[in-house]
Amino acid sequence: MKITRRLLAALTGIVLAVQAAAFELVMVEQAGCQYCARWNVAVGPVYPKTPEGAFAPLRRVDLHQPLPPDLSLQGKVVFTPTFILVDEGRELARIEGYPGEEMFWWMLANLLTNNTDFKGEPS
């Protein structure tokens, strides 16, 4: 009976992880972008360790490369960085530009709470 409970618990964890992985934060960037570089220094290292990063893992896309076929955006990306919240590859909302670390976390928290069932505490 214990093996069955452990197996059920493991399967439940896998299902929850797959459901959570449906959301991604796509960062559209380009070489030479000073605001991308600032985000990479201030936010990039901590993002995956936050509730936001666990809920919507970061995925990077180069502005000058073809859009991956599994992404469907509502419009063309013009500014870098642009952060696009996607659910199973479909755009829900975006943040254009990087206004600094504090404002980024605030905007991201609003993006997640207004477009998903995110309940984590903002970083």
Side-chain angles (χ1 to χ4, degrees):
M1 187 65 81
K2 288 184 181 181
I3 294 174
T4 305
R5 287 183 186 167
R6 287 183 187 158
L7 181 59
L8 181 60
L11 290 174
T12 301
I14 291 169
V15 168
L16 292 175
V18 169
Q19 288 175 341
F23 292 105
E24 290 179 304
L25 185 66
V26 175
M27 178 182 179
V28 181
E29 58 189 338
Q30 64 179 321
C33 169
Q34 67 178 348
Y35 294 101
C36 300
R38 289 180 186 174
W39 188 92
N40 285 330
V41 169
V43 180
V46 298
Y47 182 80
K49 302 173 187 173
T50 65
E52 296 87 346
F55 185 83
L58 186 68
R59 176 177 180 184
R60 294 173 183 268
V61 172
D62 187 293
L63 178 67
H64 302 293
Q65 296 297 316
L67 189 66
D70 64 329
L71 289 179
S72 175
L73 305 183
Q74 294 176 2
K76 183 177 179 180
V77 175
V78 178
F79 303 103
T80 57
T82 293
F83 301 91
I84 305 169
L85 178 63
V86 299
D87 181 11
E88 297 182 358
R90 184 181 53 83
E91 180 176 347
L92 299 177
R94 64 174 69 186
I95 299 169
E96 293 182 321
Y98 174 63
E101 184 177 2
E102 186 174 329
M103 185 63 99
F104 171 79
W105 287 116
W106 180 83
M107 292 171 73
L108 180 61
N110 283 333
L111 193 79
L112 292 173
T113 56
N114 291 337
N115 295 283
T116 72
D117 59 354
F118 179 72
K119 303 274 191 269
E121 293 295 321
S123 295

PDB file of all heavy atoms in Angstrom, residues 43-59:
ATOM      1  N   VAL A  43      18.394  41.097 -12.605  1.00  0.00           N
ATOM      2  CA  VAL A  43      17.261  40.190 -12.405  1.00  0.00           C
ATOM      3  C   VAL A  43      17.566  38.765 -12.839  1.00  0.00           C
ATOM      4  O   VAL A  43      17.154  37.801 -12.187  1.00  0.00           O
ATOM      5  CB  VAL A  43      16.009  40.716 -13.154  1.00  0.00           C
ATOM      6  CG1 VAL A  43      14.822  39.779 -12.965  1.00  0.00           C
ATOM      7  CG2 VAL A  43      15.655  42.126 -12.692  1.00  0.00           C
ATOM      8  N   GLY A  44      18.291  38.625 -13.935  1.00  0.00           N
ATOM      9  CA  GLY A  44      18.538  37.313 -14.527  1.00  0.00           C
ATOM     10  C   GLY A  44      18.985  36.229 -13.569  1.00  0.00           C
ATOM     11  O   GLY A  44      18.415  35.136 -13.565  1.00  0.00           O
ATOM     12  N   PRO A  45      19.978  36.478 -12.711  1.00  0.00           N
ATOM     13  CA  PRO A  45      20.440  35.412 -11.820  1.00  0.00           C
ATOM     14  C   PRO A  45      19.414  34.975 -10.761  1.00  0.00           C
ATOM     15  O   PRO A  45      19.404  33.823 -10.352  1.00  0.00           O
ATOM     16  CB  PRO A  45      21.669  36.023 -11.133  1.00  0.00           C
ATOM     17  CG  PRO A  45      22.116  37.116 -12.037  1.00  0.00           C
ATOM     18  CD  PRO A  45      20.858  37.640 -12.679  1.00  0.00           C
ATOM     19  N   VAL A  46      18.547  35.892 -10.336  1.00  0.00           N
ATOM     20  CA  VAL A  46      17.594  35.540  -9.275  1.00  0.00           C
ATOM     21  C   VAL A  46      16.240  35.096  -9.807  1.00  0.00           C
ATOM     22  O   VAL A  46      15.483  34.429  -9.095  1.00  0.00           O
ATOM     23  CB  VAL A  46      17.393  36.701  -8.267  1.00  0.00           C
ATOM     24  CG1 VAL A  46      18.691  37.028  -7.568  1.00  0.00           C
ATOM     25  CG2 VAL A  46      16.798  37.921  -8.926  1.00  0.00           C
ATOM     26  N   TYR A  47      15.926  35.443 -11.048  1.00  0.00           N
ATOM     27  CA  TYR A  47      14.596  35.147 -11.577  1.00  0.00           C
ATOM     28  C   TYR A  47      14.173  33.689 -11.391  1.00  0.00           C
ATOM     29  O   TYR A  47      13.075  33.432 -10.886  1.00  0.00           O
ATOM     30  CB  TYR A  47      14.480  35.563 -13.058  1.00  0.00           C
ATOM     31  CG  TYR A  47      13.085  35.312 -13.596  1.00  0.00           C
ATOM     32  CD1 TYR A  47      12.060  36.207 -13.320  1.00  0.00           C
ATOM     33  CD2 TYR A  47      12.787  34.172 -14.333  1.00  0.00           C
ATOM     34  CE1 TYR A  47      10.775  35.971 -13.777  1.00  0.00           C
ATOM     35  CE2 TYR A  47      11.505  33.925 -14.791  1.00  0.00           C
ATOM     36  CZ  TYR A  47      10.498  34.829 -14.505  1.00  0.00           C
ATOM     37  OH  TYR A  47       9.216  34.589 -14.944  1.00  0.00           O
ATOM     38  N   PRO A  48      15.002  32.704 -11.745  1.00  0.00           N
ATOM     39  CA  PRO A  48      14.544  31.317 -11.610  1.00  0.00           C
ATOM     40  C   PRO A  48      14.354  30.869 -10.160  1.00  0.00           C
ATOM     41  O   PRO A  48      13.718  29.844  -9.913  1.00  0.00           O
ATOM     42  CB  PRO A  48      15.637  30.492 -12.295  1.00  0.00           C
ATOM     43  CG  PRO A  48      16.790  31.385 -12.474  1.00  0.00           C
ATOM     44  CD  PRO A  48      16.300  32.807 -12.374  1.00  0.00           C
ATOM     45  N   LYS A  49      14.862  31.636  -9.201  1.00  0.00           N
ATOM     46  CA  LYS A  49      14.755  31.286  -7.781  1.00  0.00           C
ATOM     47  C   LYS A  49      13.532  31.910  -7.110  1.00  0.00           C
ATOM     48  O   LYS A  49      13.306  31.706  -5.925  1.00  0.00           O
ATOM     49  CB  LYS A  49      16.016  31.735  -7.046  1.00  0.00           C
ATOM     50  CG  LYS A  49      17.281  31.118  -7.605  1.00  0.00           C
ATOM     51  CD  LYS A  49      18.509  31.723  -6.972  1.00  0.00           C
ATOM     52  CE  LYS A  49      19.766  31.227  -7.666  1.00  0.00           C
ATOM     53  NZ  LYS A  49      20.966  31.908  -7.190  1.00  0.00           N
ATOM     54  N   THR A  50      12.757  32.667  -7.861  1.00  0.00           N
ATOM     55  CA  THR A  50      11.610  33.383  -7.306  1.00  0.00           C
ATOM     56  C   THR A  50      10.312  32.633  -7.576  1.00  0.00           C
ATOM     57  O   THR A  50      10.255  31.774  -8.459  1.00  0.00           O
ATOM     58  CB  THR A  50      11.504  34.786  -7.942  1.00  0.00           C
ATOM     59  OG1 THR A  50      11.223  34.632  -9.342  1.00  0.00           O
ATOM     60  CG2 THR A  50      12.780  35.598  -7.727  1.00  0.00           C
ATOM     61  N   PRO A  51       9.232  32.975  -6.851  1.00  0.00           N
ATOM     62  CA  PRO A  51       7.930  32.384  -7.163  1.00  0.00           C
ATOM     63  C   PRO A  51       7.495  32.667  -8.599  1.00  0.00           C
ATOM     64  O   PRO A  51       6.921  31.809  -9.260  1.00  0.00           O
ATOM     65  CB  PRO A  51       6.982  33.049  -6.158  1.00  0.00           C
ATOM     66  CG  PRO A  51       7.851  33.474  -5.026  1.00  0.00           C
ATOM     67  CD  PRO A  51       9.182  33.815  -5.648  1.00  0.00           C
ATOM     68  N   GLU A  52       7.808  33.871  -9.080  1.00  0.00           N
ATOM     69  CA  GLU A  52       7.465  34.221 -10.456  1.00  0.00           C
ATOM     70  C   GLU A  52       8.206  33.329 -11.453  1.00  0.00           C
ATOM     71  O   GLU A  52       7.623  32.853 -12.421  1.00  0.00           O
ATOM     72  CB  GLU A  52       7.804  35.697 -10.727  1.00  0.00           C
ATOM     73  CG  GLU A  52       7.018  36.681  -9.906  1.00  0.00           C
ATOM     74  CD  GLU A  52       7.622  36.997  -8.543  1.00  0.00           C
ATOM     75  OE1 GLU A  52       8.521  36.286  -8.081  1.00  0.00           O
ATOM     76  OE2 GLU A  52       7.170  37.981  -7.931  1.00  0.00           O
ATOM     77  N   GLY A  53       9.488  33.119 -11.194  1.00  0.00           N
ATOM     78  CA  GLY A  53      10.302  32.286 -12.070  1.00  0.00           C
ATOM     79  C   GLY A  53       9.893  30.828 -12.049  1.00  0.00           C
ATOM     80  O   GLY A  53       9.989  30.138 -13.065  1.00  0.00           O
ATOM     81  N   ALA A  54       9.444  30.355 -10.904  1.00  0.00           N
ATOM     82  CA  ALA A  54       8.952  28.976 -10.817  1.00  0.00           C
ATOM     83  C   ALA A  54       7.627  28.835 -11.561  1.00  0.00           C
ATOM     84  O   ALA A  54       7.368  27.828 -12.212  1.00  0.00           O
ATOM     85  CB  ALA A  54       8.789  28.566  -9.357  1.00  0.00           C
ATOM     86  N   PHE A  55       6.798  29.856 -11.481  1.00  0.00           N
ATOM     87  CA  PHE A  55       5.475  29.820 -12.114  1.00  0.00           C
ATOM     88  C   PHE A  55       5.569  29.986 -13.624  1.00  0.00           C
ATOM     89  O   PHE A  55       4.879  29.303 -14.376  1.00  0.00           O
ATOM     90  CB  PHE A  55       4.597  30.926 -11.521  1.00  0.00           C
ATOM     91  CG  PHE A  55       3.178  30.899 -12.006  1.00  0.00           C
ATOM     92  CD1 PHE A  55       2.249  30.057 -11.420  1.00  0.00           C
ATOM     93  CD2 PHE A  55       2.770  31.708 -13.047  1.00  0.00           C
ATOM     94  CE1 PHE A  55       0.936  30.020 -11.865  1.00  0.00           C
ATOM     95  CE2 PHE A  55       1.468  31.686 -13.500  1.00  0.00           C
ATOM     96  CZ  PHE A  55       0.538  30.837 -12.900  1.00  0.00           C
ATOM     97  N   ALA A  56       6.421  30.913 -14.070  1.00  0.00           N
ATOM     98  CA  ALA A  56       6.580  31.206 -15.504  1.00  0.00           C
ATOM     99  C   ALA A  56       8.073  31.212 -15.827  1.00  0.00           C
ATOM    100  O   ALA A  56       8.708  32.268 -15.833  1.00  0.00           O
ATOM    101  CB  ALA A  56       5.938  32.543 -15.853  1.00  0.00           C
ATOM    102  N   PRO A  57       8.646  30.047 -16.085  1.00  0.00           N
ATOM    103  CA  PRO A  57      10.085  29.972 -16.393  1.00  0.00           C
ATOM    104  C   PRO A  57      10.449  30.862 -17.582  1.00  0.00           C
ATOM    105  O   PRO A  57       9.647  31.069 -18.494  1.00  0.00           O
ATOM    106  CB  PRO A  57      10.301  28.496 -16.728  1.00  0.00           C
ATOM    107  CG  PRO A  57       9.152  27.779 -16.107  1.00  0.00           C
ATOM    108  CD  PRO A  57       7.999  28.742 -16.122  1.00  0.00           C
ATOM    109  N   LEU A  58      11.674  31.371 -17.542  1.00  0.00           N
ATOM    110  CA  LEU A  58      12.160  32.263 -18.588  1.00  0.00           C
ATOM    111  C   LEU A  58      12.573  31.485 -19.828  1.00  0.00           C
ATOM    112  O   LEU A  58      13.207  30.445 -19.744  1.00  0.00           O
ATOM    113  CB  LEU A  58      13.365  33.058 -18.079  1.00  0.00           C
ATOM    114  CG  LEU A  58      13.881  34.132 -19.028  1.00  0.00           C
ATOM    115  CD1 LEU A  58      12.869  35.268 -19.159  1.00  0.00           C
ATOM    116  CD2 LEU A  58      15.218  34.665 -18.535  1.00  0.00           C
ATOM    117  N   ARG A  59      12.211  32.029 -20.959  1.00  0.00           N
ATOM    118  CA  ARG A  59      12.620  31.490 -22.254  1.00  0.00           C
ATOM    119  C   ARG A  59      13.130  32.663 -23.077  1.00  0.00           C
ATOM    120  O   ARG A  59      12.447  33.681 -23.210  1.00  0.00           O
ATOM    121  CB  ARG A  59      11.423  30.839 -22.945  1.00  0.00           C
ATOM    122  CG  ARG A  59      11.722  30.328 -24.329  1.00  0.00           C
ATOM    123  CD  ARG A  59      10.478  29.651 -24.871  1.00  0.00           C
ATOM    124  NE  ARG A  59      10.685  29.135 -26.196  1.00  0.00           N
ATOM    125  CZ  ARG A  59       9.725  28.573 -26.928  1.00  0.00           C
ATOM    126  NH1 ARG A  59       8.507  28.432 -26.432  1.00  0.00           N
ATOM    127  NH2 ARG A  59       9.970  28.141 -28.123  1.00  0.00           N
TER     128      ARG A  59
END
